[in-house]
Every structure is written in structure tokens, then in C-alpha cells.
Amino acid sequence: MKLASRKTATADVTRRQRSAHSSKEALYWIGPAALVILLIFGYSVVSVLISSFRYDGDWVGLENFEIVITDPIFLTALKHNGLLLLAVPVLIILAFILAVTLFETRRGMRFYRSAIFLPYILPIPVVAVVFGQIYQLNGALNIFLRSIGLEPLAQDWLGDPSIALGTMSSVIIWKEVGFGVILMLAHIISLPNETYEAARIDGAGFWRTHLSITRPAILNTIVFYGVIEAITMVSWVFNYVYVMSNGLGGPGNATMVSELYIYRAAFQNKAPELAAVAAVFLFVATLILMVAFFRIQRRSIAGTFNK
Amino acid sequence: MTKSRGVKRSKVEAFFRYSLLSFVAFTALVPAYIMFTGSFKSQGEFLNSPFGIPDSPSFAGYQSAWTDNFPNWLTNSFLIVTGAVVMTEILAALAAWGFARFPFNGRETLLGAMVSLMVVPPVVLLIPLFQFGVQLTLISTLRLVILIYVGLMLPFSIYMLTNFFKSIPESILESASIDGASSFRTFRSIVLPLSGAPLATLAVVNLLWAWNELLLALVFLQSNEKKTLMVGITGFQSRYSLDIPTVMAGMSIATLPLVIAYLFGQRFFIAGLTAGSTKGE
Amino acid sequence: MALTFREALRVHGTKENRLDFHLQHADLAQLVAHPTCNRVVRGSSPLVGPKKVVDFILKYVKNWRGAPRQVEPDCRFSPTFQLGGFRRMKSKKVLAIGAMALALLLSACSSSSDETSAEGDKAAFPTEDLTLNISWWGEQEAPGAQKWLEETIALYTKEHPNVTIKHVLQTTDGLIPSFEAAAAAQSGPDIQYFWGGIYTQQPGWDGHIAPISDYLSEEELSHYINAKVEAGFQGKVWTAPWYINPSFPLLVRKDILADNGLSVPTNWDELMKVCDVLSAKKITTIAGGVKDGWFGGWIYSILGGQSVQSQADVINAVVGTTKFTDPEHATWWTKLEESRDRKCWNDDINSLELYQAQQKFVDGTAAMTITAGPDAPNFAKKAGGDEKVTIMAMPAWSDGPLAGKMGTTSQTLGITKWSKYPQVAADFIKFSHTTDRLNAWYAATGSMPADDRFDISQVQSASTKALFESALNGAPYLENFIPAQLDADAVFKNVQLVLKGEVTAAEAAADKQAIMERLRKSDRKLVDNFTAWAK
């Protein structure tokens, strides 16, 4: 007893002293990482903000903004990023269907899971080049379609401006769906047994069970995946577009996206100030996503800290 | 997995299930198949029958792909990835321990802010960092690229490791401190060895990201000898547009390390990528 | 069950841990020497349990050093000192890692160009050891160029043993970006390759080029073909033409035409009739690929050039005196439409890249194609030589002064502003224009060097000879006289869209005009530069 109370007393004092010292100590630990992050992110964002107001070293106020906002190519790029966001629900639905299907499958599940996840680990340039070949007018896909008599379906997937963006998003979906499947499947598997008891007893069918039970149960994961993919569609599609459209933004401007616009403005059109403006816009747009992401994570972070 | 399934099974349902899965698996695997078989074909053969097995497989594609500059590119990729992943592991582990172990005001906010940085598109950072690199004549050096990669990988890494470190039982840590260890000692000798698995999965996730990264390497590595594999094979397509088997061979070489790592270390990949989302919710 | 620290260490202890204790021991050794035994507050320090640590240290010190140290076992440590000591040690470690990160950050690599700092007298040839770096392009359109370059370098360095020359062949997409990076850093190659016209002018305007006319005599430069018209600016010449790029020859398979009862077309209408006949038989007339954009610029030059009087017209439209929607600039779009409607092109022109499409000509699946000038003789040879192939300019659709003429441009080499040995660079360039080197160029690549002292009579093939001669009196290569961004954003894009049927000729011309107007606004220096160039 004496020992126990002494230990508690120790622990109390310990905790008090710990919080007194811990900020300073935490600084040492977090310091180096924070330094790198500050340099890479902090310096960049501040620098981009400043550059967007200058031209060749002189302060020009909102001139650059005006030029970029009235640029039809920039507006098209933003529109395309928006259109790509439409792929996110598709991804979520596909991933959900595949995840529950895998969950219900016992034989061969590992094989299917490995196969479905493989695209996610392939490098984007590789994926883009290979699909570039497959989607040629006389490429593999059309050869296949023609051979099974679906000639009318054989389009110029990459060369037709009206479907080029869709073709691009199909490649992105192909690659990203595996990630969602894995996420959701992992969560479903970790659900407790009782979840499905009631449904089994009631004899509920496949869809009813999963729509009404699984979907709410793993809603957090679904939302998380949705946000991650939304972030991808806005911030991480450069690689796909660059490789598949030879850096031009597709037939006409059909696959122009904001990242490509910024890249071209900075490195090909030699107008870094315009690129900076576009970057500011893109950053502000992603801020919205950032806040959403932050909110989601904050709950989970707070949760882990208060365990 | 001996969980009881939720649903009554029926043959029809099984048929649909397996059809769907087979179709999806087929779609997932076909491009890799085309790429791989294409690398052994001749140009004409590839254009005429992309789906077929190569008639008379030849390594010509691999030869011309390899002699182009592949060894250089592979070395550069390897150096950059190793450097970046190792640095990230160290810095993230230190920072995560700082977050996990020491409560201070605004800890959650700071961590949340750091983690949210994952969202920032790298292209926004591109121009100022490029100008920065030019001023320090660090363009086409591996160092700068490693530094930038570390910066980009840190938010997720810190987040993942903080989650894990927080889950280490207090009792072990308490006993260590009572027995007379500094926090660094504790970190070094108890926490690190216990974190073998998450550190490994984090390394794998970061490795995947860094190996596949294109945009930053494209911009910051201008000279041909310093390019990474991804940058190299991107230019491949335009240089060998007449020789698709060579392009496919190049692609295959670029993918092979990953696929092999994947086949052997699947659980690391999967565990690492799911770690962030399912814990704590 | 919780591990004691000692046990934990035994389980997880490593060599580094023991080394750690050496450091710790150093602190403690001081302590032992200056005992602060009575200042301990029991249980107050969260970090250290006094007695256990001492025992532990003793044990390890004994093992590590081999000889036991005399330490008073009862000595306690003051918490503040302990804290300080451990913080020092910990901060040492953390700082070390932080320093590593900082070192990465702050270390600047030594200057990339490895010049010695000796200053050369501008007039005299330097005698100290020096290195020149050449960044170039061209093997892609003139195969054999690399061999020639290496040979030239070898010969030059034999005559000037103190000079070392290195060269890097850039990719098409990488040529300009790598130069821009070098320009931003003000260090890099001494000799840089530039495509003609605007691609030379712009870097000159940006101040990255040391004009070649400062280093070579006017007499010498007068022999360089296209020097004044493309690389000239306000009396000086930016860069030195290297080889000629006839822009762009139409290669025609006489045999395929003959098999279908056709003869080589001499004007546009005849060409359209050929398209009618061949497309009815499902044969591609002209093979092209616009997915990567470049071909669009070529078509613009060879069709659009036919309706302007000279390059001055184009520059006028650029600066705004005239418009791209005016007839002399807009009519050619309708000709492009016509070629599309008469099915002259391959059906996959929108999804193929340029070089891939040209292959169809060699394979015999297309009757004609358009190639880069220096490459034309090679293509002709690959497709069967002079009996099968004719090389000609695009048939005329108008009767402007430039219609039916082969376009001509010279690819150039220039001296960078930051080069430490411009006079050596100029000397090398001059050396590459000596007779032996000119002949060697033709022998290696089959294309024409940009020097009127080159003896055309040595050319055997009739088609090649005709090609060279046509380029000597050729038309300006239009693409070189518009801003590069207009080219990419307006020309490439609209050619793709017109060929696909997505936009009409009028819309394409209007779009080009709109983009030009925007460019004048966003590139504040554009109008001034182009106006000065036109003079």
C-alpha cells in the first residue's frame, strides 16, 4: 500500500514536471523535421505568394491575377480538375462493391486481392505509356473491340477531344481503385462478428446487408478514401496528364489541368509570375480540402492522444 | 479469417461474384501483361497482335533499353530513394516521438497542420524551390531532390508513427523512466526496437512514393546522368516511339523491382497504407 | 510485466548503446570528480533513478574499459545537473541530425562548369588548360551528327592540346528547359544549340547569348546561310548557323502513285485529286501524326507560308499591326480543312506521334509523308532510293511569292553569355566551317551544312541535290517567326482540332488571334522585341 501510494505520488509529480519540461523537450525532437517542413512548405508558399504580385522583380499588384483569371486555358484547366472530381464517387462505389465482394469470397480471395491492388503500385509513367499504346486508334483495346464485333465502340480514345479527359480518368480510376479496396476491406475485416449476426438471422440478401450494415459501419473509411482521392484529382494528376498528352494537355486543351498549366507557364512559357498566380489559386482550392482533411484527422489524433 | 459471413450463400450470387472479380482482376492484369509480352516482340508484331504471346521472343528490346542510360538512372533512383527514405525515417521517428511522448499546448493543432500539408500539390512548391535550387546551384544534384522528397514525405510519416508510438503501453515507458532512463535512452532502446514493423511499413510506403515520383525529379534533375528512372523512361517514349518493344522493355525494367518487392512483401504495403485510416476511429 | 531498464537494455542493447554510455560516462565522470551528492531530491527527477543508473554505469564501465573504476557507490546526482547533462547529450544527438539536414540544405556544390580562373586576353588565344562544354541537339533529325561532332572535337583538340571539349546531346523536350536552368544559374555550357528564328532571338533578348558577330568577322559570317535573316538583330548576329533544315520536304512514293495510275502532283488541286483516288482505295496519301504537336507547326509553315509575302508579314501580325484573321494569315486553315475533307491523312493522325506516323511511309502503307529536312535523304533511301522516291516542296495552293518554294532554316550554335572562353568557342565554331569539316558533315549525315562554301557538286543523288538547292533559295520558315507560346498554344492545338473536325478554319484563325492578343498582354516585352527584330 505504501509502495503503491508512493508510486502514485511519484506519478503525479512526474506528470506535472513532465508537462513543464515537455514543451522544450518536444522541441528538440520535432525540431529537425519541422525545420525541413518549414523550408520545403513554408518558404515555398510564402515565396509563391510574393511572386504572384511581381513581374521581373517589380511590384505589379493584381496585374498577374487579371491575366490568369481571364485566360481561357486556365479556366479550362480548373474546369477539368472539377470534372475529374466526378470520378471520385465512381471510385468510391467501385471500391465498395469490390471490397464487399472480396469479403464474401473465401476461395482465391488473396489472389484477387493481389491482382486488384497491383495497379496501385505500378509507377505512373509506366501506366501512362502502356495505356497510351493500348488506347491508340489502332491499339490493343480497339483491336479487341473490333474482334468481338463492337466496331462502333472503337473510338479514338486519346485523339478525340471530347473523350480524351474521360480516357485519362479511366486510367486514374484503374490505378486508384485498388487503394480503396484495400482500405475498405481492411476495415470490414476488423469489424466485430456480431455486426452481421442480425442480418444473417434475418436472412438478408447480399445487397441489403452490405448497404445497410457495412456502409454505415465503415463510413469513416469511405469518407477518408473520398477525401484522399479528391486530393489526388486536384493535386496529384500531373504525372498522368504529362505522360499521356506529351506535356501538351491533350488534343486541343482537352486534358489540360491546373498542375500542367502551372508547369507550362513556369518552364515552357517562361512566365513564372503567371505560374505563381495559378499556384496560389490551386493552393487556395486545396486549402478547402486541407481543412476537411484536418478536421477528420483531428478527431482521430485527439482520439489517440486521449487514450 | 474464420469470421462467419454475413449473408446466405447462393450459387447465382457466387457466380456473379466470381465473374466480377475475374473481370476486374483481368482488367488489372492485362496492361502489365501487354507491357511484359510486348517487350519481347518485334515492333510489327506488337502493333499487329498486342495480346498474343511473342512468336520468337528476343531480348533486343532489353538490350537497347539497358544500354541507353539505364544503369545510371537505376543508380540515381536507388541513391535518391535510399537517402530520402532513411532521412525521413530518422526525422519522422524523432518528431513522432516528440508528439507522442510530450504533451504541450497546441500539440494537436501542430500535428494536424503538419499532416494536412500532405494535401499541398507539389507543383505549388515547384517554382520557388526551383529558383532556390538555381541560386544555390543545386539543380541536377541528388541532394536537393532528396531534401525535397524528405519534406514531402514527412507529414504522412510523422502522422503514421505518432499513431503507433502513442499505442506503446505506458507501463513499459514508466518502468524505463523509473529505472533511470532519459527519454532519448528510452526512445533508442525500447521504442525503436518495438517499432520494427511500423518502421518497415513506413519505409515501404515511402519507398513506393519516392521511386514512382516524376514531377520533381523531372524539374530538378536536368542533366542526363542525374536523372532518375522515372524521368528517364518518360523521355523514353518520345525517343523510341518507333521501337515500342524497347519502350516496353524499359517499362518492364522500371517496374520489376517494385513488382518483386510487392509479391514478397505484400503485407507491408497493405499494412502501411491502411495504417493511417483505420487506427483510432 | 514491465521490464526494468536494465533488463530492457539487455534485451535491446546494442553496441551504439554502449557507446552512448561512454558519452554519458564522460558527464558522470565529471560528476564523480565533483560530487554533488547531497542535492538529490528523491523521486523528483522524472528522468533518472540515481542508484540504479550508477550501478548500471559501473557495470558497463567495468566491462567496456576492462578495468574497474573507483566510483563512490553512494553518490547521488542533483536533478538539475542530471537534467542538464542529459539534455546536453540528447541535444548533441538531435543537433547532429539537425546539422546533417542543415548541411544538406546549405551545402552548395562547387560551380558546375570547371573553368580555371585564369583570365584570358580577349584577343590572344588562351594558353592555359581549359574545358568547353557543348549542349546540343540534332542527332534526332540528322543522324550521324554525333559522330561528326566527336570527330570535329578530336581534330580541334589535336590542334589545340590545352583545350578539352565535352558535349551532351539533349532530348527534344529537354533542350530548352536545360538551357533555361543553366541561364538561371548563369553557368553551364559554353556552346549551346538553338533552333533558328525566334528560338535564337528570345534567348538573345533575354541576355543569355554573346553574339557571334562579336567574335567572327563579317566576311566569315556572310558565308553562313540564313545567319542574317534568322539570327540577325539590330546589326549583330546572335548565333552561327550550323546545318540547313529544309522545311519541310514532302516525300512521295512514285511507285505507289504509279501503281494507282497517278503521277506526282505539281499543285494543290492535283494533290487533292490524288487524295481522292487513294482514299477510295483505302490507301493513306499523306502520313502524319499530331499527338505530340510538332507536326502542326510544320504544316503551318509549309501551307501558311504560301500566302504571305515574307516573314515581315508574320511579325506584323505578332506585334498587332495586322491580324491573324486577315486573309493572308487565315486562308491556309481552309486548305487544311480541305485536306481533311478529301481524306488525305491517315485516320489515326490524332493519336499517333510524328515519328511513328512517318514510319508508314517507309513501310509502304502511305504514299507520302513529310519529314525533317536533314532526314529526308535517309527516309528516301530507306523507302527504296531515287527510283521510288521524289523529294519536293509542298505543292502550291496559292500564287504568292513563296508558294511552291521549300522553306529553309538553319539550326545554329551560339556562345553563351557566361562562357569564360568565348573566343575559343568562336574559334571552334569557325573550325567547324572549314572545307574538310563541311564535307565531313555531308558524308556523315547526308544533309547540307549551312555554309555557301560547301560544294554541292559532290552530291550524287539527284533528289538530294535538288533538295539542297531548293533550300538555298528557300522561303522563310514561318514557325520560327512567331512566339513559341503561340506556336504551342494556338498552332499545335488548332491543327489537332481542325484535323479532328472539332473546329472550323475560321474558328482556328480567330483562336490564334485571340491567343496572340493575350500574349501581347502577358508577355510585356514581346511587342518591343519583335518590333526591334523586324527592323
Side-chain angles (χ1 to χ4, degrees):
Chain A
M1 258 59 61
K2 225 171 149 214
L3 196 67
S5 69
R6 185 148 61 105
K7 270 214 153 133
T8 337
T10 312
D12 281 343
V13 175
T14 299
R15 210 169 293 123
R16 254 181 278 126
Q17 279 193 307
R18 184 179 299 153
S19 57
H21 297 304
S22 59
S23 325
K24 283 198 198 148
E25 202 173 340
L27 203 63
Y28 287 115
W29 291 96
I30 305 180
L35 197 68
V36 174
I37 290 183
L38 208 63
L39 170 71
I40 301 293
F41 287 97
Y43 169 77
S44 304
V45 172
V46 169
S47 173
V48 159
L49 261 171
I50 296 180
S51 316
S52 63
F53 291 108
R54 313 177 94 171
Y55 174 76
D56 225 16
D58 305 317
W59 202 259
V60 289
L62 291 176
E63 219 176 270
N64 297 328
F65 282 87
E66 192 206 352
I67 295 177
V68 172
I69 296 181
T70 54
D71 187 347
I73 301 182
F74 179 66
L75 298 173
T76 311
L78 286 181
K79 184 177 83 165
H80 289 155
N81 275 114
L83 285 177
L84 281 178
L85 281 178
L86 291 181
V88 178
V90 175
L91 271 173
I92 294 180
I93 295 172
L94 266 178
F96 183 76
I97 294 177
L98 286 174
V100 298
T101 312
L102 273 177
F103 178 63
E104 297 288 350
T105 308
R106 212 176 302 138
R107 272 201 321 181
M109 193 278 253
R110 290 199 111 95
F111 165 73
Y112 287 118
R113 190 186 62 176
S114 308
I116 293 177
F117 192 56
L118 182 71
Y120 188 69
I121 66 156
L122 296 179
I124 296 181
V126 172
V127 169
V129 167
V130 175
F131 270 101
Q133 288 301 319
I134 295 178
Y135 277 131
Q136 291 276 323
L137 185 60
N138 297 317
L141 179 62
N142 285 350
I143 289 181
F144 171 70
L145 287 174
R146 288 184 195 128
S147 67
I148 60 172
L150 285 176
E151 171 84 43
L153 276 187
Q155 306 286 334
D156 191 356
W157 304 101
L158 291 172
D160 187 344
S162 43
I163 57 177
L165 192 63
T167 310
M168 190 86 50
S169 41
S170 76
V171 179
I172 302 177
I173 291 176
W174 178 85
K175 195 173 182 307
E176 296 283 328
V177 78
F179 181 49
V181 171
I182 296 299
L183 276 185
M184 296 189 198
L185 186 63
H187 198 174
I188 298 177
I189 289 175
S190 70
L191 292 174
N193 276 356
E194 306 81 54
T195 321
Y196 291 105
E197 283 297 326
R200 207 152 47 95
I201 293 174
D202 285 349
F206 184 87
W207 287 118
R208 244 183 55 89
T209 317
H210 287 295
L211 280 179
S212 46
I213 297 184
T214 315
R215 192 182 47 169
I218 63 168
L219 194 60
N220 291 319
T221 302
I222 294 181
V223 170
F224 176 78
Y225 179 60
V227 174
I228 291 276
E229 288 306 323
I231 295 170
T232 306
M233 292 302 169
V234 172
S235 309
W236 296 89
V237 290
F238 176 84
N239 293 345
Y240 295 101
V241 175
Y242 183 77
V243 179
M244 289 187 83
S245 72
N246 297 87
L248 287 174
N253 282 325
T255 54
M256 177 63 72
V257 291
S258 355
E259 287 175 89
L260 188 61
Y261 182 85
I262 297 174
Y263 177 80
R264 285 184 69 83
F267 294 99
Q268 277 164 14
N269 300 338
K270 296 197 297 172
E273 64 282 351
L274 301 181
V277 170
V280 169
F281 275 114
L282 188 59
F283 181 67
V284 167
T286 56
L287 263 183
I288 301 173
L289 286 174
M290 250 170 93
V291 170
F293 192 64
F294 178 62
R295 286 252 164 88
I296 298 178
Q297 292 313 315
R298 194 169 188 184
R299 266 189 301 139
S300 107
I301 290 170
T304 57
F305 279 143
N306 294 334
K307 252 197 267 215
Chain B
M1 243 181 352
T2 51
K3 250 192 215 322
S4 58
R5 300 301 179 181
V7 170
K8 241 167 48 159
R9 327 223 352 104
S10 80
K11 284 235 166 70
V12 175
E13 180 233 324
F15 171 74
F16 276 120
R17 262 192 295 117
Y18 279 105
S19 314
L20 173 67
L21 287 179
S22 304
F23 176 71
V24 172
F26 177 74
T27 323
L29 294 176
V30 154
Y33 167 80
I34 293 181
M35 169 183 87
F36 197 58
T37 56
S39 63
F40 293 105
K41 295 182 181 161
S42 71
Q43 166 83 343
E45 201 190 335
F46 179 83
L47 290 174
N48 289 330
S49 71
F51 291 107
I53 313 270
D55 263 344
S56 42
S58 89
F59 279 94
Y62 284 94
Q63 257 177 332
S64 33
W66 185 260
T67 54
D68 186 67
N69 233 319
F70 253 83
N72 251 345
W73 295 336
L74 272 175
T75 318
N76 292 334
S77 278
F78 178 72
L79 287 174
I80 289 181
V81 166
T82 315
V85 169
V86 166
M87 281 276 306
T88 309
E89 294 273 300
I90 297 174
L91 291 181
L94 292 176
W97 183 243
F99 277 115
R101 182 74 177 145
F102 305 102
F104 56 91
N105 284 333
R107 171 170 66 164
E108 287 157 25
T109 317
L110 184 61
L111 182 59
M114 263 190 184
V115 173
S116 314
L117 289 176
M118 275 169 63
V119 178
V120 176
V123 76
V124 167
L125 316 173
L126 202 56
I127 304 150
L129 287 178
F130 183 73
Q131 287 167 346
F132 173 75
V134 163
Q135 277 161 23
L136 292 183
T137 61
L138 286 176
I139 300 295
S140 288
T141 61
L142 300 186
R143 286 167 280 185
L144 183 60
V145 176
I146 292 179
L147 181 66
I148 299 178
Y149 279 6
V150 170
L152 288 175
M153 296 194 288
L154 273 178
F156 176 71
S157 310
I158 295 178
Y159 174 59
M160 212 194 112
L161 286 181
T162 308
N163 259 350
F164 176 77
F165 286 162
K166 210 43 207 160
S167 73
I168 295 181
E170 281 281 320
S171 46
I172 297 185
L173 303 171
E174 285 282 348
S175 74
S177 64
I178 287 175
D179 281 351
S182 77
S183 54
F184 192 72
R185 271 276 44 73
T186 321
F187 179 69
R188 211 15 170 343
S189 329
I190 296 188
V191 176
L192 277 188
L194 286 178
S195 339
L199 284 179
T201 53
L202 181 69
V204 162
V205 170
N206 282 338
L207 198 142
L208 184 65
W209 185 88
W211 183 267
N212 289 345
E213 207 283 325
L214 176 64
L215 174 57
L216 296 161
L218 188 65
V219 166
F220 287 96
L221 297 171
Q222 298 277 349
S223 85
N224 212 25
E225 312 94 52
K226 295 292 189 178
K227 289 186 182 171
T228 62
L229 193 56
M230 290 306 136
V231 179
I233 64 178
T234 307
F236 227 55
Q237 194 192 194
S238 62
R239 244 178 312 160
Y240 289 98
S241 58
L242 297 181
D243 189 2
I244 300 189
T246 304
V247 176
M248 291 300 155
M251 302 291 130
S252 304
I253 302 179
T255 328
L256 222 48
L258 281 177
V259 170
I260 293 177
Y262 174 64
L263 289 176
F264 284 109
Q266 255 187 70
R267 58 190 186 95
F268 285 122
F269 280 92
I270 294 176
L273 289 167
T274 58
S277 76
T278 56
K279 255 192 161 29
E281 283 287 24
Chain C
M1 199 185 76
L3 298 168
T4 64
F5 182 57
R6 208 178 312 166
E7 289 166 297
L9 243 134
R10 203 179 323 122
V11 170
H12 300 288
T14 61
K15 201 159 67 164
E16 292 80 47
N17 295 342
R18 263 169 248 143
L19 193 56
D20 253 0
F21 272 98
H22 171 57
L23 285 173
Q24 198 172 6
H25 172 69
D27 288 335
L28 295 178
Q30 287 182 40
L31 264 177
V32 171
H34 310 278
T36 54
C37 294
N38 293 322
R39 281 164 33 196
V40 75
V41 175
R42 193 168 259 263
S44 59
S45 161
L47 301 176
V48 149
K51 184 161 172 39
K52 294 257 167 90
V53 170
V54 176
D55 290 347
F56 198 93
I57 302 291
L58 286 178
K59 176 177 169 202
Y60 268 72
V61 159
K62 244 187 284 196
N63 293 340
W64 191 65
R65 283 294 174 105
R69 290 273 181 121
Q70 290 308 314
V71 182
E72 288 170 282
D74 274 340
C75 200
R76 305 286 196 250
F77 307 99
S78 86
T80 45
F81 184 92
Q82 287 163 4
L83 208 50
F86 290 117
R87 201 190 282 144
R88 275 200 294 279
M89 187 190 70
K90 178 174 54 247
S91 56
K92 252 185 254 176
K93 288 277 161 123
V94 168
L95 272 177
I97 295 176
M100 198 162 62
L102 270 174
L104 265 190
L105 168 63
L106 291 175
S107 65
C109 72
S110 53
S111 74
S112 48
S113 69
D114 33 11
E115 304 293 76
T116 60
S117 54
E119 298 198 62
D121 175 15
K122 268 218 164 101
F125 195 91
T127 48
E128 68 273 19
D129 284 343
L130 59 97
T131 308
L132 285 185
N133 285 297
I134 305 179
S135 168
W136 67 290
W137 187 87
E139 180 74 17
Q140 291 88 338
E141 68 180 358
Q146 182 158 338
K147 204 181 75 173
W148 177 91
L149 184 63
E150 288 168 351
E151 206 179 75
T152 308
I153 291 177
L155 287 171
Y156 186 81
T157 48
K158 204 153 56 152
E159 275 183 38
H160 303 273
N162 60 319
V163 176
T164 317
I165 304 182
K166 302 197 206 143
H167 73 90
V168 175
L169 173 64
Q170 303 287 349
T171 63
T172 314
D173 304 314
L175 178 66
I176 294 183
S178 67
F179 176 69
E180 292 297 322
Q186 286 292 298
S187 83
D190 302 273
I191 298 179
Q192 172 75 29
Y193 178 104
F194 300 99
W195 293 312
I198 186 67
Y199 297 97
T200 297
Q201 296 290 340
Q202 187 69 51
W205 299 332
D206 291 338
H208 301 318
I209 303 183
I212 190 82
S213 49
D214 285 351
Y215 298 96
L216 292 183
S217 69
E218 220 184 296
E219 196 274 326
E220 170 76 14
L221 279 176
S222 67
H223 291 292
Y224 297 4
I225 302 177
N226 291 326
K228 281 235 161 52
V229 67
E230 284 192 318
F233 183 74
Q234 297 188 327
K236 43 186 184 217
V237 177
W238 289 119
T239 57
W242 180 9
Y243 62 93
I244 294 189
N245 181 2
S247 345
F248 288 94
L250 182 71
L251 273 68
V252 179
R253 291 280 298 252
K254 292 186 286 196
D255 53 333
I256 296 186
L257 290 185
D259 286 346
N260 289 287
L262 297 164
S263 55
V264 178
T266 55
N267 61 40
W268 184 258
D269 290 327
E270 286 181 21
L271 177 61
M272 292 298 111
K273 290 207 188 82
V274 169
C275 295
D276 293 335
V277 173
L278 288 180
S279 64
K281 302 194 180 172
K282 297 259 192 268
I283 303 177
T284 303
T285 311
I286 315 180
V290 293
K291 179 154 176 288
D292 46 354
W294 308 101
F295 197 54
W298 291 13
I299 300 180
Y300 165 58
S301 305
I302 60 183
L303 288 182
Q306 303 194 13
S307 51
V308 298
Q309 304 291 317
S310 74
Q311 67 270 26
D313 283 358
V314 178
I315 296 185
N316 278 336
V318 170
V319 301
T321 323
T322 57
K323 293 193 177 166
F324 280 108
T325 42
D326 294 341
E328 73 263 21
H329 297 294
T331 319
W332 80 275
W333 289 108
T334 62
K335 294 297 162 194
L336 182 66
E337 260 186 337
E338 191 183 345
S339 69
R340 172 198 75 199
D341 294 334
R342 307 282 281 264
K343 300 207 196 317
C344 291
W345 305 99
N346 44 316
D347 58 355
D348 51 0
I349 189 170
N350 279 85
S351 57
L352 275 188
E353 291 162 13
L354 179 52
Y355 295 124
Q356 291 170 324
Q358 289 168 347
Q359 269 308 104
K360 294 179 184 251
F361 176 76
V362 176
D363 295 340
T365 46
M368 307 180 193
T369 191
I370 304 172
T371 71
D375 223 0
N378 296 329
F379 265 90
K381 220 185 305 178
K382 268 192 261 181
D386 272 0
E387 328 107 42
K388 291 203 179 151
V389 177
T390 295
I391 306 179
M392 54 186 277
M394 175 64 78
W397 60 263
S398 90
D399 45 17
L402 305 176
K405 274 186 161 188
M406 180 70 68
T408 178
T409 180
S410 296
Q411 315 286 37
T412 68
L413 290 175
I415 306 175
T416 57
K417 198 60 175 246
W418 52 83
S419 169
K420 294 204 178 75
Y421 295 99
Q423 69 279 49
V424 182
D427 194 52
F428 177 77
I429 292 178
K430 187 162 161 205
F431 177 75
S432 65
H433 277 261
T434 54
T435 317
D436 158 66
R437 293 286 84 216
L438 296 178
N439 295 339
W441 173 264
Y442 169 66
T445 65
S447 67
M448 178 161 176
D451 195 308
D452 63 12
R453 296 170 290 194
F454 172 71
D455 183 7
I456 293 196
S457 61
Q458 66 188 284
V459 177
Q460 304 290 12
S461 152
S463 61
T464 311
K465 202 185 237 179
L467 179 67
F468 288 0
E469 279 165 355
S470 68
L472 276 176
N473 304 308
Y477 173 30
L478 282 198
E479 205 184 351
N480 279 352
F481 293 92
I482 56 174
Q485 189 172 347
L486 184 70
D487 202 12
D489 287 352
V491 176
F492 292 1
K493 179 184 84 178
N494 282 306
V495 168
Q496 287 174 338
L497 293 175
V498 167
L499 283 175
K500 198 65 196 172
E502 295 280 321
V503 311
T504 65
E507 287 167 347
D511 186 46
K512 187 171 177 185
Q513 176 59 25
I515 293 183
M516 189 66 243
E517 285 167 10
R518 285 198 48 82
L519 251 184
R520 280 197 286 266
K521 245 199 322 174
S522 66
D523 184 352
R524 282 84 153 173
K525 303 197 187 114
L526 186 104
V527 176
D528 294 333
N529 283 332
F530 268 84
T531 318
W533 185 16
K535 297 209 174 69

